[in-house]
Amino acid sequence: MDSIEVNFSMQSHTEAKQGVHTYVAQWPISSLAWSMRRDKSPRLAIGSYLEDYTNKVELVHFNCDTFNFSTDPRLVFDHPYAPTNIMFFPSEDDTNPDLIATSGDNLRLWEIHEDHIQLKSPLIGNKVSDHSAITSFDWAVFDTRLIATSSVDTTCTIWDIEREVMKAQLVAHDKEVYDISWGGFNVFASVSGDGSVRVFDLRDKEKSTIIYENPVQDCPLLRLEWNKSDPRFMATVGLDSNKVVILDIRLPTTPFMELSKHRTCVNAMSWSPDFGRHLCSVGDDARAFIWDVMDSRFPSRNGCEVEPVMWYGSPAEINQVRWSPMQVDWIALAFFNNLQLLKV
């Protein structure tokens, strides 16, 4: 296992780190997202984690040449409760509207202007319960009209944001649904408190396929990331688990690979956007690991423990990570009130 000598290196947090750039927010960060638009400088959105009803979402610009961050106080907005997820409109085409979506008590769409951000539409509606928090969502790249949400009330909901209507709602699991991810046209997967990964096809809403169940009895699966560049693979992690499980959907029920170098629980993970062979995972051990899941030299299924190809140590537990979809050599992570960008 190698640390990156320049960009991913272990140093005291009091030292300057070449290739590591930090923005300090005014509040703890719970969620983050990269923008895909090519007509803007690299942008991120960060969401607060405050115990108050009123939380914040802020836009942060990053200059890849000078490595400077810039913000505009007019591009900060209040958010009911801490946002459980944030995503920009998933297209680089600057003719599309400049939108951002957030989840919490409901799914909301916000419109970004030069000098303000305004609520475009709150998407509210549930056939099961009037009090069902949205745990996460995924915005479909293949059809940007569609957003899929997961909820504590056991449902997954597909929204048509262009018409601002509910397209479909499925009772997806036996317990709370904690995460959701599109895998392609009409196909998405979700994870739940029942410990299963289930795949759904909107062409047959009455059926689902269980492709993995947590071997730890009565242990929820909390995170799911379907590899958008190589949809054969998805990654999931369980509650308080130090292990990232890589699944090959062609070989259901048996993990393709298990990544278990974290010392404590894994909090988030993100696939590389270019060829989809790398995954970055972060955890309470203050470590960020980059794994090569296609490296046949380290197949955990043959009894060998998989080693990360790169790693980074932060000053504190890392709770979030996102790989930039446009600037593919940059990774964003969050701990406490710090947004860090790592050049890899």
Side-chain angles (χ1 to χ4, degrees), residues 2 5 16 19 56 64 71 101 136 185 232 300 315:
D2 296 325
E5 293 180 358
K56 300 287 184 181
C64 293
T71 59
S136 191
F185 185 72
R232 296 174 298 171
S300 58

Side-chain angles (χ1 to χ4, degrees), residues 22 41 58 84 87-88 108 119 133 138-139 141 150 165 186 199 204 236 264 269 282 285 322:
T22 305
S41 63
E58 179 179 34
T84 55
M87 288 186 73
F88 286 89
R108 290 176 172 84
L119 180 64
D138 195 15
W139 204 329
V141 176
S150 55
V165 298
N186 279 328
V199 175
D204 189 355
T236 186
T264 52
M269 55 216 168
V282 299
D285 58 0
R322 284 290 179 264

Side-chain angles (χ1 to χ4, degrees), residues 102-144:
T102 63
S103 57
D105 56 337
N106 292 299
L107 179 68
R108 290 176 172 84
L109 290 177
W110 310 79
E111 192 161 9
I112 304 170
H113 301 274
E114 288 298 322
D115 58 354
H116 69 286
I117 300 174
Q118 68 181 34
L119 180 64
K120 183 177 183 291
S121 56
L123 301 176
I124 303 171
N126 197 299
K127 300 174 184 175
V128 176
S129 171
D130 293 329
H131 304 285
S132 49
I134 305 300
T135 54
S136 191
F137 69 91
D138 195 15
W139 204 329
V141 176
F142 59 86
D143 186 345
T144 54

Side-chain angles (χ1 to χ4, degrees), residues 5-37:
E5 293 180 358
V6 175
N7 300 326
F8 253 32
S9 58
M10 282 292 295
Q11 303 176 42
S12 166
H13 66 275
T14 61
E15 297 178 82
K17 296 183 180 182
Q18 188 174 358
V20 180
H21 307 279
T22 305
Y23 172 75
V24 181
Q26 298 181 19
W27 21 257
I29 300 171
S30 66
S31 51
L32 64 88
W34 288 91
S35 171
M36 293 182 66
R37 289 178 73 98

Side-chain angles (χ1 to χ4, degrees), residues 300-331:
S300 58
R301 54 192 181 281
N302 289 348
C304 302
E305 191 169 276
V306 183
E307 297 284 344
V309 295
M310 301 176 186
W311 62 278
Y312 167 73
S314 82
E317 298 91 343
I318 308 172
N319 58 53
Q320 190 58 265
V321 63
R322 284 290 179 264
W323 208 309
S324 172
M326 305 303 292
Q327 296 78 30
V328 297
D329 51 352
W330 289 95
I331 293 175

